[in-house]
Amino acid sequence: MKAHDGMYIDGAWRPAAGRDTITVVNPADEQVIAEVPAGGAEDVDAAVRAARAALPAWAATAPAERAARIAALRDVLVARKDEIAGTVTAELGAPLPFSQAVHAGVPVLVAGSYAELAASYAFEEKVGNSTVYAEPVGVVGAITPWNYPLHQIVAKVAPALAAGCTVVLKPAEDTPLTAQLFAEAVHEAGVPAGVFNLVTGLGPVAGQALAEHDGVDLVSFTGSTAVGRQIGATAGAAVKRVALELGGKSANVILPSADLAKAVGVGVANVMGNSGQTCSAWTRMLVHTSQYDEAVALAAEAAAKYGDRIGPLVNAKQQARVRGYIEKGVAEGARLVAGGPEAPREQGYFVSPTVFADVTPEMTIAQEEIFGPVVSLIRYEDEDDALRIANGTVYGLAGAVWAGDDAEAVAFARRMDTGQVDINGGRFNPLAPFGGYKQSGVGRELGSHGLAEYLQTKSLQF
């Protein structure tokens, strides 16, 4: 797509207040593909004012009509799926088949789910002699990451619109073209002017201005735990609601009764998807000591198949960060069985699919989020030991458990301190709540739980 040189505010593309720009680079070949405006506080203020002006009418719109606009948005995303996939591939570097299936496909499912929820959700209920109303929280400031650029936008904007909120979106600076394409889709779907607004810009400038703005009632942020803390502190000072989806260090627990080859193979694939740039990736593989050596061999074999199948990391900084973690793992005594810190190509921000064995729970690579194609295999002695290791980080976003039968896996998963667990390879469910325990965040996305984040409650007594 051709980049816009302005912001989408109040239903139209408008020039940015300043002249600063963001350079968009294709991480696969390091070539510049676009320039977009880097907005500041003045642009954010204009967008928030537009959202506030549009709020009363949109909040009063019948849920069925809001559902119809979201359904229309879904249809536009379907019609433009090839353009979406190509845009994500160009600015994120994801292989085109992955972009088509995941980056373009999943947002369609999520948008469709909110079209249905907007029409069926119980925005009003009787409780004794009271009538309880679920009302929109107001203007939402949505700050989204680059790793799943369209999915993260849809996962915030669709439920906000379904709830009757208006939105100002500040997307990641690495993937602004996908956000601009989404704004085009919103416009094409007939969403009223001011209900959705887009400001591209840098996090410390436009993102901070959005989080601090007095006209924003809720900040929904997905990104690092460090930035999430800052946003939480800012919102707390203003007694402003937040929804924070933050980092993860998810455990893939393989119990002795499991199909080891399947569990290891799916586990490695889970981490390699999107080049490891997934907050919920199962980056710690926990294996019983009696099966550990076999699992290491299987993981190394599986990772080798991804050598030329995964894309680059998003930028040079991220590439250096991941390579630094791999070097740290070697320095702390972990054993490389696949991959390593050396760049596999001369051009592009690539990192080799990497597997570590002999990882102990206290090592840096077993505690900190790497956000790259790196799997750490950790041995355990019994189930209590496995649980201690699985729960032994500051994070609690996702995870997996494999066992000979679902009941055994469920019993273990219920003891894990994490927000979502896949049992024996359970499929993605766009209606299931997604979010974390501990420092992985506050609140939930997707399904009815995600819709509830954008609602507030009023009761009338008779």
Side-chain angles (χ1 to χ4, degrees), residues 426-451:
R427 295 180 293 108
F428 170 74
N429 179 1
L431 297 177
F434 179 77
Y437 288 18
K438 300 188 286 188
Q439 292 187 27
S440 285
V442 176
R444 292 294 181 268
E445 293 188 324
L446 304 181
S448 60
H449 293 80
L451 176 56

Side-chain angles (χ1 to χ4, degrees), residues 40-50 213:
E42 188 174 343
D43 300 293
V44 168
D45 183 64
V48 174
R49 289 178 181 276
H213 200 291

Side-chain angles (χ1 to χ4, degrees), residues 87-367:
T87 300
V88 174
T89 291
E91 62 181 356
L92 180 63
L96 187 58
F98 190 85
S99 290
Q100 291 169 330
V102 177
H103 289 295
V106 172
V108 169
L109 296 177
V110 174
S113 74
Y114 280 112
E116 295 179 5
L117 274 169
S120 63
Y121 193 84
F123 290 98
E124 177 183 335
E125 66 173 329
K126 288 286 188 178
V127 180
N129 66 309
S130 302
T131 301
V132 180
Y133 297 91
E135 299 183 340
V137 71
V139 174
V140 173
I143 304 174
T144 56
W146 46 260
N147 60 326
Y148 289 90
L150 185 59
H151 167 65
Q152 298 287 359
I153 290 171
V154 172
K156 296 183 189 303
V157 175
L161 299 187
C165 296
T166 56
V167 181
V168 177
L169 170 67
K170 204 300 286 184
E173 47 263 39
D174 289 291
T175 54
L177 302 182
T178 301
Q180 289 189 344
L181 199 159
F182 178 78
E184 292 179 359
V186 168
H187 191 86
E188 188 175 342
V191 175
V195 171
F196 170 82
N197 307 273
L198 169 67
V199 175
T200 54
L202 302 178
V205 181
Q208 183 172 342
L210 184 58
E212 292 178 347
H213 200 291
D214 290 341
V216 172
D217 300 295
L218 181 149
V219 180
S220 180
F221 169 79
T222 296
S224 72
T225 297
V227 176
R229 289 194 194 99
Q230 297 173 9
I231 289 174
T234 297
V239 196
K240 183 182 302 185
R241 282 176 54 177
V242 294
L244 304 174
E245 197 266 280
L246 308 176
K249 194 68 183 174
S250 301
N252 179 18
V253 182
I254 304 174
L255 298 178
S257 62
D259 181 334
L260 184 65
K262 181 179 180 181
V264 172
V266 174
V268 171
N270 173 274
V271 177
M272 298 306 157
N274 214 40
S275 304
Q277 298 169 129
T278 303
C279 54
S280 57
W282 311 333
T283 53
R284 295 181 297 147
M285 185 178 293
L286 278 55
V287 185
H288 189 268
T289 187
S290 65
Q291 299 173 314
Y292 187 79
D293 291 340
E294 182 182 359
V296 169
L298 288 168
E301 181 182 357
K305 299 176 182 178
Y306 288 90
D308 57 357
R309 290 167 54 188
I310 65 172
L313 301 185
V314 70
N315 54 39
K317 180 180 179 180
Q318 184 66 13
Q319 182 194 42
R321 180 178 186 271
V322 173
R323 291 173 67 182
Y325 271 112
I326 296 173
E327 292 170 350
K328 185 77 169 178
V330 173
E332 291 185 357
R335 175 166 56 97
L336 271 174
V337 297
E342 297 79 14
R345 307 186 193 184
E346 292 185 2
Q347 190 176 45
Y349 308 127
F350 291 88
V351 170
S352 296
T354 298
V355 176
F356 276 109
D358 301 337
V359 178
T360 57
E362 70 278 2
M363 287 182 178
T364 302
I365 59 172
Q367 289 291 319

